[in-house]
């Protein structure tokens, strides 16, 4: 946020992807979706013919039990790769050593991609990669490469594009077979170890591929090459010379209509089941309302967003005991989640909830935003200031046993709750106990509240997923006590249950700290802290900025690093991975919410900008091992980096006066014109950027001494409102960072020695305002008495 100190990051920057045999197409039964970026269930298909950083592992740590097998992954830092370090498979990490071995021995490559908290990745490892026979087949006949998709999103995107194009679906674990020169020829997702009914197992698939490699190799290679050429053409995104972005109101209206068509009215969200949070949709709807407040469409958009956020907050997808949100709901009512918790969900949902609180004034939404950040601060924060990536869905039940179960850490039996909350509540009807009140409010049943269809593996039998079934007012009326008493009792009960959960075996924690997700989280703390006036949250945002500088910036190479791993634990031989487009875009966005990001944007432009077609490539186009130069064209679980960059460029052009960044933002939007015009629902975050271009950003300039009460009051007036099309600037002296870049700002000053606000748009500014309520009225009305040009 530009109203805070600008020095932490600027000082750092100043010194820079026709079936070979159509019979191998299966859909695993009873499988929950694992794909983070879409709702599709995993589909299995075999398709046709520097600087060295000492960072710690985020894995389970070294074991005192001797291992029968140890492979090269034991030297890696990724928690996911370390999970496979003792498989009887001769795994290689992605890199030149593996590529050279494939070429020298003329063997196909087996590429397996996943992530450390992926449920079906764990299943495939347990069933296949720990199997001695399958391990021997893989090691003897293939060069086996294991990739953490979160470390190498560039590799994942290329081969997932191939799998999706040739099978019609995708997900993780992803299994792809490549030629020694990295061209894919067969791909799929999860494979069971051996044949099951008509479904071929991994062993059968491997034997067929080995046979085809020996007897039909030219056809394999030719088919793979044709598919790759088609993908290069089909994924190209570029602007034609002389074109301009599509009309924002038309695109926004179409995006709204597409979302309204898929909206589920009873519980909110945008399909029946499974349901994903999709914060990018919610933020678009609230932005759409902000410029269409007087229309029925605008009112409907806001109702869709607020109802969805409210139902999610009440649902089982929200962890009522230990805060934060699970990955998605397996049912339409947000009740039974996939229990994985992801950092990027927490970051985006915190921003969505605090935005809803600005618009509606409802305390519930502000409370949920704080609730999310409490979880992140407690369970996903490293002492270095960085944020961990995820918590697994699976854990060992408190009752014991070697097998992990999904949700074991989070669910409750009725008898557990009765034993924990036995006290009779004074004044409650029927001598009700605290357990009675809690179980009524949160829908706890003696036999468990999870329907069998939501529990295909029987892991949740007899268990309860907490979900708010009644309002506090109805619960109070049911037991004849006050609303205040119910709130007090429920809070006490949740605290006791949280203490019990601490003694349960925790799920695996992926302590990998990713630059991009840390950038999203930096934004969340800065924005929630600003709206709530919470200095502790703002200080945590600044700590995250310092972490990015210290651990994820290579000053010698002048590049962002993709990831790091708990400092001060172990030494590892693998070199750090350079950052990708989303790392730059999300950090820049975070710094715009906190500091400044000018030099970092220049570096992003140098590394990823497409001079011919406009827009940014996802990875460095000079990397010859990445076969497709892609531009992400979907805002999914995370916003696409191009969507965020379009907004970053626009905001930066207003902060700095650099017109080339405004032009570059327009070029980017023009490159995505076809997608924006036809299916804007795929890019709601980019539609927001297009709207910001159309409606023109307001520049809100506040002149005053930093941290002075009158300055703070003006800032609080701005932060109390949802103003999606604004840039906020604090001028605290003539030597101010912003004044040096835009000398015109030096003409603005305090009036009568009191902190003063100016609201500017289209090169015209309002008369100076010193009263916070007058500033708030000015910003709400959008009308201003004009002053200086």
């Amino acid at each position: 946020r530009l109203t805070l100190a600008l020095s932490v990051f600027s000082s750092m920057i100043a010194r820079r992807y026709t079936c070979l045999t159509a019979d191998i197409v299966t859909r695993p039964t009873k499988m929950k979706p694992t794909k983070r970026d879409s709702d599709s269930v995993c589909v299995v298909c075999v398709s046709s013919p520097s600087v060295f950083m000492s960072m710690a592992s985020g894995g389970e740590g070294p074991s005192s039990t001797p291992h029968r097998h140890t492979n090269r992954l034991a030297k890696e830092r990724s928690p996911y790769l370390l999970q496979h370090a003792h498989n009887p498979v001769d795994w290689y990490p992605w890199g030149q050593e593996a590529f050279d071995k494939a070429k020298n021995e003329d063997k196909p490559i087996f590429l397996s991609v996943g992530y450390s908290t992926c449920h079906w990745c764990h299943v495939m490892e347990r069933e296949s990669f720990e199997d001695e026979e399958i391990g021997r087949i893989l090691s003897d006949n293939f060069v086996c490469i294991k990739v953490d998709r979160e470390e190498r999103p560039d590799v994942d995107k290329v081969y997932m594009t191939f799998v999706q194009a040739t099978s019609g679906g995708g997900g993780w674990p992803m299994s792809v077979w490549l030629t020694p020169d990295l061209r894919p020829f067969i791909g799929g997702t999860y494979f069971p170890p051996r044949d099951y009914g008509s479904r071929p197992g991994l062993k059968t698939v491997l034997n067929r591929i080995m046979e085809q490699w020996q007897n039909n190799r030219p056809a394999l290679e030719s088919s793979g090459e044709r598919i790759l050429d088609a993908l290069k053409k089909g994924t190209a995104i570029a602007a034609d010379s002389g074109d301009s972005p599509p009309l924002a109101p038309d695109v926004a209206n179409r995006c709204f209509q597409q979302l309204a068509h898929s909206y589920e009215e009873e519980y909110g969200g945008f399909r029946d089941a499974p349901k994903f949070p999709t914060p990018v949709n919610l933020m678009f709807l609230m932005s759409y309302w902000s410029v269409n407040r007087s229309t029925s469409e605008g009112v409907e958009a806001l109702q869709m967003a607020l109802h969805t956020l409210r139902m999610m907050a009440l649902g089982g997808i929200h962890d009522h005991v230990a805060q934060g949100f699970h990955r998605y709901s397996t049912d339409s009512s947000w009740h039974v989640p996939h229990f994985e918790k992801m950092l990027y969900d927490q970051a985006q949902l915190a921003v969505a909830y605090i935005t809803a609180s600005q618009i509606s004034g409802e305390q519930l939404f502000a409370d949920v935003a704080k609730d999310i950040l409490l979880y992140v601060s407690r369970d996903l924060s490293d002492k270095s200031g960085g944020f961990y990536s995820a918590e697994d869905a699976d854990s060992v039940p408190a009752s014991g046993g070697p097998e992990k179960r999904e949700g074991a850490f989070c669910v409750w039996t009725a008898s557990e709750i009765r034993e924990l909350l036995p006290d009779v509540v004074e004044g409650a009807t029927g001598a009700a106990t605290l357990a009675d009140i809690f179980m009524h409010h949160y829908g706890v049943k003696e036999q468990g509240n999870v329907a069998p269809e939501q529990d295909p593996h029987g892991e949740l039998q007899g268990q309860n997923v907490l979900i708010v079934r009644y309002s506090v007012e109805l619960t109070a009326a049911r037991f004849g006590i006050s609303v205040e008493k119910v709130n007090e009792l429920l809070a006490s009960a949740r605290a006791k249950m949280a203490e019990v959960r601490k003694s349960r075996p925790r799920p695996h924690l992926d302590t990998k700290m990713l630059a991009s997700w840390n950038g999203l989280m930096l934004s969340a703390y800065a924005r929630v802290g600003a709206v709530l006036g919470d200095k502790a949250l703002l200080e945590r945002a600044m700590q995250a900025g310092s972490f990015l500088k210290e651990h994820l910036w290579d000053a010698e190479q002048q590049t962002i690093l993709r990831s790091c791993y708990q400092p001060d634990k172990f030494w590892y031989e693998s070199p750090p991975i350079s950052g990708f487009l989303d790392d730059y875009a999300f950090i820049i966005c975070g710094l715009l919410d906190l500091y400044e990001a000018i030099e970092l944007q220049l570096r992003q432009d140098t590394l990823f900008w497409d001079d011919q077609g406009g827009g940014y490539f996802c990875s460095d186009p000079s990397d010859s091992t990445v076969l497709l130069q892609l531009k992400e064209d979907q805002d999914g679980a995370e916003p696409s980096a191009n969507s965020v960059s379009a907004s970053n460029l626009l905001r930066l052009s207003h902060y700095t006066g650099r017109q080339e960044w405004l032009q570059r933002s327009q070029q980017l939007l023009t490159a995505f014109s076809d997608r924006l015009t036809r299916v804007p629902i795929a890019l709601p975050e980019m539609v927001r950027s297009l709207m910001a271009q159309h409606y023109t950003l307001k520049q809100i300039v506040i002149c005053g001494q930093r941290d002075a009460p009158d300055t703070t009051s003006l800032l609080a007036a701005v932060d109390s409102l949802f103003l999606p099309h604004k840039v906020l600037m604090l001028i605290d002296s003539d030597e101010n960072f912003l004044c040096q870049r835009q000398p015109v700002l030096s003409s603005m000053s305090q009036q009568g020695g009191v902190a003063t606000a100016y609201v500017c748009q289209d090169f015209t500014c309002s008369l100076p305002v010193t009263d916070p309520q007058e500033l708030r009225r000015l910003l709400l009305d959008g009308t201003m008495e004009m002053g200086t040009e």
Side-chain angles (χ1 to χ4, degrees):
R1 195 163 165 260
L2 276 163
T3 58
L4 297 176
L6 304 174
S7 60
V8 173
F9 217 77
S10 57
S11 62
M12 164 190 83
I13 297 167
R15 289 182 323 219
R16 54 245 107 1
Y17 170 89
T18 324
C19 288
L20 170 64
T21 54
D23 58 321
I24 312 182
V25 181
T26 67
R27 184 183 298 273
T29 59
K30 297 182 179 179
M31 180 177 288
K32 296 176 183 176
T34 59
K35 190 178 180 194
R36 294 182 181 171
D37 297 326
S38 79
D39 303 345
S40 62
V41 174
C42 293
V43 175
V44 177
C45 177
V46 175
S47 64
S48 78
S50 145
V51 62
F52 180 78
M53 295 183 68
S54 168
M55 291 296 178
S57 161
E60 304 295 347
S63 171
S64 58
T65 306
H67 297 283
R68 185 174 178 184
H69 302 279
T70 299
N71 55 56
R72 292 164 187 80
L73 300 185
K75 297 180 179 180
E76 292 299 305
R77 301 174 298 168
S78 157
Y80 176 65
L81 300 188
L82 289 169
Q83 288 172 348
H84 294 263
H86 302 292
N87 297 161
V89 178
D90 188 19
W91 290 116
Y92 283 76
W94 180 268
Q96 199 60 47
E97 183 183 6
F99 308 154
D100 290 343
K101 178 180 174 66
K103 289 181 180 178
N104 293 336
E105 299 182 12
D106 198 29
K107 288 180 177 179
I109 292 170
F110 171 59
L111 174 65
S112 176
V113 182
Y115 55 96
S116 82
T117 59
C118 163
H119 176 76
W120 283 95
C121 299
H122 301 333
V123 173
M124 191 164 178
E125 180 194 15
R126 196 163 56 240
E127 293 178 340
S128 297
F129 300 145
E130 292 180 354
D131 183 285
E132 296 282 347
E133 182 184 14
I134 291 176
R136 185 165 54 253
I137 294 172
L138 281 166
S139 301
D140 291 348
N141 299 279
F142 302 88
V143 173
C144 303
I145 299 178
K146 177 63 72 172
V147 166
D148 182 337
R149 69 170 297 267
E150 292 167 353
E151 276 196 328
R152 293 302 304 255
D154 54 336
V155 175
D156 177 67
K157 283 185 175 77
V158 167
Y159 297 107
M160 185 60 74
T161 301
F162 170 82
V163 170
Q164 289 174 326
T166 56
S167 73
W172 297 276
M174 178 170 64
S175 307
V176 190
W177 285 264
L178 322 176
T179 64
D181 56 0
L182 307 181
R183 271 122 177 100
F185 59 89
I186 292 173
T189 55
Y190 163 83
F191 290 88
R194 288 170 177 80
D195 299 351
Y196 181 78
S198 61
R199 181 151 53 106
L202 181 60
K203 181 180 175 182
T204 298
V205 173
L206 291 172
N207 286 327
R208 290 184 186 177
I209 292 172
M210 289 157 51
E211 177 187 358
Q212 291 292 325
W213 186 257
Q214 292 297 322
N215 302 323
N216 198 26
R217 180 171 171 178
L220 282 180
E221 294 178 328
S222 176
S223 178
E225 193 67 40
R226 288 197 304 272
I227 293 171
L228 194 61
D229 288 342
L231 288 176
K232 288 179 180 178
K233 295 176 183 177
T235 57
I237 295 173
D240 293 331
S241 178
D243 283 355
S244 58
L247 290 175
D250 294 344
V251 171
N253 289 336
R254 188 174 293 111
C255 187
F256 164 72
Q257 294 296 339
Q258 291 175 348
L259 283 171
H261 180 73
S262 64
Y263 179 67
E264 196 275 293
E265 292 187 353
E266 185 172 7
Y267 294 103
F270 300 96
R271 58 175 294 166
D272 289 332
K275 274 185 177 173
F276 290 76
T278 56
V280 289
N281 290 345
L282 303 173
M283 291 302 296
F284 163 76
L285 288 170
M286 290 186 284
S287 295
Y288 182 83
W289 164 82
S290 74
V291 295
N292 294 278
R293 301 183 190 204
S294 61
T295 68
S296 60
E297 291 84 0
V299 172
E300 183 181 356
L302 181 59
Q303 183 275 334
M304 288 162 58
L306 297 184
H307 182 60
T308 299
L309 286 164
R310 190 176 292 111
M311 298 310 293
M312 284 171 51
L314 302 177
I317 191 174
H318 183 200
D319 188 341
H320 297 282
V321 170
Q323 298 82 43
F325 279 79
H326 299 295
R327 181 65 197 96
Y328 60 83
S329 174
T330 63
D331 57 83
S332 64
S333 62
W334 304 108
H335 180 198
V336 183
H338 174 49
F339 289 88
E340 179 183 28
K341 286 181 177 178
M342 306 304 305
L343 182 67
Y344 58 75
D345 282 327
Q346 316 308 320
Q348 295 175 87
L349 285 169
V351 172
Y353 275 100
I354 203 64
T355 301
S357 78
Q358 289 177 294
I359 293 171
S360 69
E362 288 188 40
Q363 188 62 38
L364 168 69
F365 296 131
D367 289 344
V368 174
K370 289 188 290 185
D371 173 277
I372 293 168
L373 298 186
L374 171 62
Y375 162 70
V376 173
S377 294
R378 186 189 64 234
D379 292 343
L380 293 183
S381 285
D382 187 78
K383 63 183 180 182
S384 66
F387 301 104
Y388 303 143
S389 294
E391 278 194 305
D392 209 334
D394 302 352
S395 61
V396 177
S399 57
E403 291 296 324
K404 292 183 177 182
R405 294 183 181 181
E406 181 167 6
F409 185 66
C410 301
V411 295
W412 303 86
T413 64
S415 60
E416 283 179 304
I417 296 174
R418 291 198 181 281
E419 183 178 347
L420 180 62
L421 309 173
D423 297 341
V424 174
V425 175
E426 184 179 350
T429 58
T433 65
L434 179 53
D436 292 327
I437 296 173
F438 186 90
M439 292 169 66
H440 174 83
H441 189 75
Y442 285 106
V444 175
K445 299 179 179 179
E446 298 294 340
Q447 71 276 21
N449 68 3
V450 179
E453 58 268 25
Q454 302 308 131
D455 184 26
H457 304 292
E459 295 172 299
L460 302 174
Q461 188 172 0
Q463 303 285 343
N464 289 273
V465 178
L466 303 182
I467 179 171
V468 177
R469 288 300 189 193
Y470 301 96
S471 68
V472 177
E473 290 78 9
L474 285 174
T475 298
R478 165 69 176 78
F479 292 97
I481 55 180
S482 69
V483 169
E484 293 76 12
K485 183 68 171 176
V486 171
N487 280 322
E488 177 187 326
L489 292 170
L490 294 178
S492 173
R494 292 193 301 266
K496 291 179 180 180
M497 296 171 75
E499 285 300 314
V500 170
R501 268 180 51 167
K502 288 180 182 178
S503 66
R504 294 178 176 179
R506 292 195 66 90
H508 161 72
L509 176 65
D510 186 337
T511 55
K512 175 173 69 268
M513 291 174 274
L514 296 171
S516 59
W517 297 359
N518 273 257
L520 290 173
M521 206 70 239
L522 191 162
S523 280
Y525 274 90
R527 294 180 66 175
V528 175
V531 173
L532 298 178
D534 190 319
K535 290 187 177 181
L537 296 180
L538 293 171
E539 287 170 1
R540 184 64 184 89
M542 295 184 70
Q543 187 183 10
S546 297
F547 161 81
L548 289 167
K549 172 189 174 181
E550 183 175 355
H551 295 294
L552 287 171
W553 176 251
D554 182 342
E556 181 180 340
Q557 299 298 320
Q558 293 290 283
T559 56
I560 288 174
L561 301 178
R562 173 63 178 174
S563 55
C564 67
Y565 309 79
Q566 280 186 332
D568 307 321
K569 270 195 175 179
F570 308 110
W571 288 82
Y572 288 86
E573 297 181 7
S574 56
I577 298 167
S578 294
F580 303 101
L581 175 61
D582 59 347
D583 296 307
Y584 284 82
F586 295 175
I587 290 176
I588 290 168
C589 182
L591 295 176
L592 284 170
D593 287 325
L594 189 65
Y595 308 114
E596 57 90 9
I598 294 170
E599 299 298 329
L600 204 56
Q601 183 66 60
L602 290 170
R603 189 60 177 155
Q604 176 184 316
D605 294 348
T606 299
L607 289 173
F608 304 108
W609 181 255
D610 178 6
D611 286 319
Q612 280 71 47
Y616 294 97
F617 293 115
C618 294
S619 59
D620 187 345
S622 66
D623 187 346
S624 61
T625 67
V626 180
L627 304 183
L628 292 174
Q629 292 305 325
L630 299 172
K631 299 174 187 174
E632 185 68 54
D633 62 351
Q634 181 173 347
D635 295 321
E638 306 161 54
S640 80
N642 271 287
S643 296
V644 174
S645 293
S647 176
N648 290 345
L649 290 164
L650 178 61
R651 293 169 70 188
L652 280 166
S653 71
H654 281 260
Y655 285 131
T656 65
R658 296 178 67 126
Q659 289 301 299
E660 62 266 34
W661 274 337
L662 173 60
Q663 295 162 6
R664 184 156 288 190
S665 181
Q666 293 169 342
Q667 285 178 277
L668 188 160
L669 293 168
T670 302
F672 286 83
S673 288
D674 181 62
R675 188 78 157 164
L676 287 167
T677 301
R678 292 188 301 107
V679 280
I681 192 174
L683 286 165
E685 185 69 20
M686 191 173 288
V687 178
R688 293 182 70 215
S689 298
L690 183 66
M691 292 166 67
Q693 292 268 7
H694 176 83
Y695 292 105
T696 309
L697 297 186
K698 282 188 175 76
Q699 294 177 313
I700 304 170
V701 182
I702 295 178
C703 301
Q705 294 304 307
R706 189 181 309 276
D707 297 328
D710 53 352
T711 304
T712 302
S713 295
L714 290 176
L715 290 171
V718 178
D719 289 329
S720 69
L721 302 173
F722 175 50
L723 304 168
H725 308 138
K726 77 167 193 308
V727 290
L728 175 61
M729 308 180 189
L730 174 63
I731 308 298
D732 55 1
S733 72
D734 291 338
E735 311 302 319
N736 183 274
F737 168 87
L738 295 170
C739 291
Q740 295 173 14
R741 284 158 173 78
Q742 292 203 71
V744 67
L745 296 175
S746 298
S747 64
M748 300 179 186
S749 61
Q750 297 184 56
Q751 300 294 302
V754 179
T756 305
Y758 300 81
V759 180
C760 307
Q761 193 168 12
D762 292 328
F763 307 102
T764 302
C765 295
S766 69
L767 293 173
V769 175
T770 58
D771 180 68
Q773 291 307 313
E774 188 178 351
L775 174 59
R776 182 181 169 89
R777 180 198 61 76
L778 180 62
L779 294 172
L780 277 173
D781 292 347
T783 58
M784 49 192 184
E785 187 178 349
M786 295 305 169
T788 57
E789 285 276 330

